[in-house]
Amino acid sequence: MTEKYLDFLGLTIYQIYPRSFCDSNGDGIGDLQGVLSKLDYLQDLGVNAIWLCPCYKSPNVDNGYDVADYRDIMDEFGTMDDIKALIAGLHQRDMKLIMDLVPNHTSSQHKWFIESRKSKDNPYSDYYYWYDTPPNNWQSAFLGSAWQYDELRGQYYLHSYAPEQPDLNWENPAVVQEMQDVVDFWVDLGVDGFRIDVIDQISKDMNGDNFFGPRLHEFINALFGRENTKHIFTVGECWADDIAEVRRHCGADRGELSTLFQFDHQQCGRSSKFIPKKQSIRDFWEILKNWQLLMQKEELLYSLFTDNHDNSWFISRMGDTEKNRYEVATCVATLLYLMRGVSFIYQGQELGMVNSCHNTIEEFDDVESVNLYKENIGSAPAQSILDMINFGGRDNPRRPMCWSGAENAGFTTGKPWLAVNVHYPKINLETEMHAERSVWRFYRELLNLKCREKTLQIGAFQVVEDAPTHCIYSRSWEGKTYYVVCNFEEATQISGMAGKRLALSNYGFARKETDAFAPYEIAVFEGE
Ligand code: GLC
Ligand code: CA
């Protein structure tokens, strides 16, 4: 195992959606100064890096995933001086900054696209995919055809997402060079790594698929296999569900990525994000366990996450959060984060945040949800579409962070850009700090435990017991072993931990060896 790999196993990365994290100047939009003001909070929580969702100049059709200038900051978020101050503030605290890189597409407002449209033979004309007639019938991820006719140029261009997000043509060596320069610009500025947006799409086969094209690995290597980039941390958003493909992306000899966001355990068997399906801790465990064993055998780095800015709250799908919010949140977190891999926590997850219900389309912002509404409003009742969006829509995690029970959840003194979560009077940092059974306090203990204990970072993962009702796994290193005992949904008698020290438990430390485990109870023991 390389030193770099061992180092990365100790990373706990907090994902920030800057627009909704903390507003420093009362305009209703979160900003970089807001992030800066919360670094002590994050350090105390036990995280050692942040991943900042895109904060580049952007007209915000897809909230920053439509970049108009890769070398400047979005007006509402601040300035280049603010990002430099953020890097300095993080490094002072021995924390890392992971930037979001969006190499598959730009904004239609990007200079490259503005020029590219003008004619078929200008320096930027081949920066995008232009055709007289679409070569295939690919669909956009946000509904409708992925091909858009452009009056000015008199041709069609490809947009895998919104029409305002034209796909870059990576077959053009000038595009590869441009993106290398962008990476170098940020590495020179001191960033420690990148999360790479839809990395699996940058190479295409126009006669086949829009994913995993024939030159994918060559392009990734061109970005991150170079002398000045091969040491940095990189996580690619990638739907690889086959270990051979994961190895091709992340093998130590590949010069590509450190790790991937794979979505198996996060999807947990669901087929559509908008259609409710009961999911269980048992299924979650089953999928995670298999990946842990595979990845460990191959010495590959797994990404441990449940939430992000693209999915409704995970615990709202895993259990009855009206009844068991604390139990489900703490059970999921312990089972997941004490496994082997890089930990990712999404803002608000540490509060045990749950989905919010809104009854007018005006209270939603996300292009995906708004398109879904527009597409179906003629044929389905409004409420049934709103139900789908409330359940699965991306606005859920994007609503302002709930810092307190004060107006607007303490996120802003102005009018928040997006309606706050309806649960904020009950679920917010202040109430969580004082609650008897606090998801936040538990997260803080859990993350700090992982941060302190090398065994929980690099120790070998082993399945100790795998029953229909519960599971036990261990992490061992240099004579020390931690056991994670997780009970699923029914009370269960679990034995075998006699004589071991209880290190962490979501049911308090009063438990006796003879007690049955309660639903969602999870306990961590330390022994040999
Ligand atoms: C990724 C991002 C998502 C964005 C899409 C297009 O999936 O996570 O938020 O809409 O790429 O850039
Ligand atoms: Ca602001």
Side-chain angles (χ1 to χ4, degrees):
M1 276 183 284
T2 66
E3 212 169 295
K4 186 173 99 169
Y5 177 79
L6 295 177
D7 254 18
F8 290 163
L9 277 172
L11 279 177
T12 300
I13 304 175
Y14 188 92
Q15 182 188 353
I16 292 181
Y17 200 70
R19 208 169 188 77
S20 302
F21 188 58
C22 177
D23 175 20
S24 72
N25 61 354
D27 67 353
I29 299 174
D31 45 57
L32 295 182
Q33 283 297 330
V35 177
L36 197 57
S37 72
K38 298 293 183 188
L39 293 188
D40 289 334
Y41 165 77
L42 295 174
Q43 188 168 38
D44 170 70
L45 182 64
V47 309
N48 49 28
I50 63 171
W51 148 26
L52 211 53
C53 278
C55 54
Y56 314 103
K57 275 241 179 328
S58 164
N60 282 309
V61 169
D62 188 18
N63 279 344
Y65 284 96
D66 45 329
V67 178
D69 185 346
Y70 290 96
R71 291 182 177 76
D72 206 350
I73 299 298
M74 197 186 296
D75 293 333
E76 299 102 305
F77 289 178
T79 61
M80 284 303 288
D81 282 343
D82 292 329
I83 193 97
K84 286 180 194 159
L86 185 61
I87 295 173
L90 284 162
H91 288 173
Q92 261 164 28
R93 291 168 177 83
D94 224 1
M95 293 166 79
K96 292 184 166 34
L97 177 63
I98 313 299
M99 289 290 268
D100 211 313
L101 184 75
V102 190
N104 180 65
H105 42 267
T106 67
S107 159
S108 52
Q109 305 291 310
H110 196 290
K111 180 185 128 198
W112 302 336
F113 190 73
I114 293 175
E115 293 300 320
S116 192
R117 291 177 66 197
K118 288 183 179 163
S119 68
K120 291 179 187 157
D121 56 359
N122 66 69
Y124 296 94
S125 52
D126 292 334
Y127 270 45
Y128 298 85
Y129 295 106
W130 292 100
Y131 286 86
D132 291 332
T133 39
N136 53 47
N137 60 0
W138 290 351
Q139 295 295 297
S140 140
F142 298 151
L143 296 178
S145 166
W147 294 96
Q148 173 77 29
Y149 185 71
D150 182 60
E151 295 281 346
L152 190 62
R153 176 144 161 172
Q155 281 185 307
Y156 290 86
Y157 67 87
L158 176 68
H159 61 90
S160 300
Y161 295 86
E164 296 86 351
Q165 293 170 291
D167 283 43
L168 282 164
N169 172 13
W170 277 73
E171 297 296 325
N172 179 352
V175 167
V176 180
Q177 178 71 54
E178 293 276 12
M179 213 44 80
Q180 286 177 329
D181 292 350
V182 168
V183 167
D184 294 351
F185 173 85
W186 288 101
V187 169
D188 291 348
L189 215 69
V191 314
D192 306 283
F194 295 95
R195 175 265 185 188
I196 306 106
D197 193 59
V198 292
I199 189 67
D200 45 13
Q201 282 187 286
I202 61 175
S203 167
K204 342 241 176 205
D205 171 6
M206 288 296 165
N207 301 314
D209 247 335
N210 195 1
F211 290 89
F212 299 105
R215 298 182 68 191
L216 178 60
H217 295 286
E218 177 194 337
F219 294 151
I220 301 178
N221 181 266
L223 290 181
F224 302 117
R226 294 172 298 141
E227 219 31 62
N228 65 328
T229 54
K230 62 183 187 204
H231 64 286
I232 62 174
F233 174 78
T234 46
V235 50
E237 185 194 15
C238 191
W239 290 74
D241 53 8
D242 149 39
I243 187 76
E245 188 59 41
V246 178
R247 195 187 311 111
R248 281 195 286 277
H249 278 96
C250 303
D253 54 333
R254 299 285 300 170
E256 294 190 27
L257 301 169
S258 315
T259 179
L260 301 177
F261 284 127
Q262 297 165 250
F263 289 85
D264 257 9
H265 70 270
Q266 200 257 1
Q267 292 297 305
C268 212
R270 71 176 170 166
S271 53
S272 157
K273 65 200 273 181
F274 293 111
I275 299 173
K277 178 175 185 283
K278 165 96 178 87
Q279 290 171 321
S280 70
I281 304 265
R282 165 136 206 115
D283 294 347
F284 183 58
W285 153 252
E286 193 63 35
I287 300 170
L288 278 169
K289 170 195 77 187
N290 290 337
W291 276 110
Q292 284 287 294
L293 294 171
L294 278 173
M295 297 293 276
Q296 171 165 273
K297 190 159 157 246
E298 304 263 345
E299 288 191 7
L300 296 168
L301 197 60
Y302 199 69
S303 286
L304 305 167
F305 73 102
T306 50
D307 289 271
N308 63 25
H309 62 295
D310 288 332
N311 288 279
S312 54
W313 292 105
F314 189 75
I315 59 168
S316 288
R317 293 193 262 129
M318 287 308 280
D320 180 351
T321 52
E322 288 270 314
K323 236 173 75 196
N324 294 319
R325 186 178 67 88
Y326 166 83
E327 289 76 7
V328 177
T330 52
C331 180
V332 165
T334 312
L335 185 68
L336 178 74
Y337 292 126
L338 296 189
M339 289 187 175
R340 200 163 190 269
V342 188
S343 308
F344 290 87
I345 290 125
Y346 183 73
Q347 68 185 40
Q349 199 189 315
E350 77 273 30
L351 307 178
M353 200 40 86
V354 297
N355 288 343
S356 183
C357 193
H358 300 262
N359 293 317
T360 60
I361 190 65
E362 288 71 36
E363 287 170 283
F364 295 90
D365 163 79
D366 177 36
V367 53
E368 181 183 57
S369 296
V370 173
N371 283 356
L372 185 85
Y373 187 86
K374 282 192 203 147
E375 185 89 353
N376 292 291
I377 190 64
S379 51
Q383 194 55 50
S384 71
I385 312 171
L386 290 171
D387 288 348
M388 285 165 78
I389 297 175
N390 278 320
F391 175 79
R394 305 197 297 182
D395 286 305
N396 273 306
R398 298 175 181 193
R399 297 197 181 276
M401 174 80 176
C402 298
W403 295 104
S404 74
E407 205 181 349
N408 302 321
F411 159 73
T412 178
T413 53
K415 184 176 179 320
W417 73 278
L418 181 66
V420 295
N421 188 306
V422 295
H423 301 291
Y424 88 87
K426 249 178 74 190
I427 311 176
N428 63 65
L429 179 61
E430 267 176 17
T431 53
E432 278 294 319
M433 277 177 156
H434 300 112
E436 207 185 309
R437 294 183 316 149
S438 152
V439 178
W440 176 78
R441 256 206 321 276
F442 188 89
Y443 256 82
R444 189 161 165 261
E445 232 178 293
L446 174 71
L447 300 183
N448 278 290
L449 176 68
K450 183 155 189 179
C451 217
R452 263 195 328 267
E453 277 301 324
K454 219 135 181 115
T455 304
L456 291 169
Q457 298 168 22
I458 66 178
F461 170 90
Q462 212 178 343
V463 179
V464 177
E465 214 166 294
D466 191 2
T469 47
H470 67 277
C471 67
I472 305 177
Y473 71 81
S474 65
R475 303 288 312 277
S476 320
W477 181 66
E478 291 200 336
K480 193 165 178 179
T481 299
Y482 277 96
Y483 297 87
V484 178
V485 182
C486 174
N487 184 36
F488 306 141
E489 282 151 51
E490 306 294 330
T492 314
Q493 200 65 50
I494 308 173
S495 51
M497 291 294 126
K500 299 192 169 47
R501 187 184 79 85
L502 183 61
L504 183 71
S505 154
N506 65 348
Y507 269 71
F509 287 78
R511 84 167 338 279
K512 294 192 210 64
E513 164 73 3
T514 49
D515 290 350
F517 271 70
Y520 304 107
E521 181 169 351
I522 192 157
V524 183
F525 295 88
E526 193 195 319
E528 271 98 66

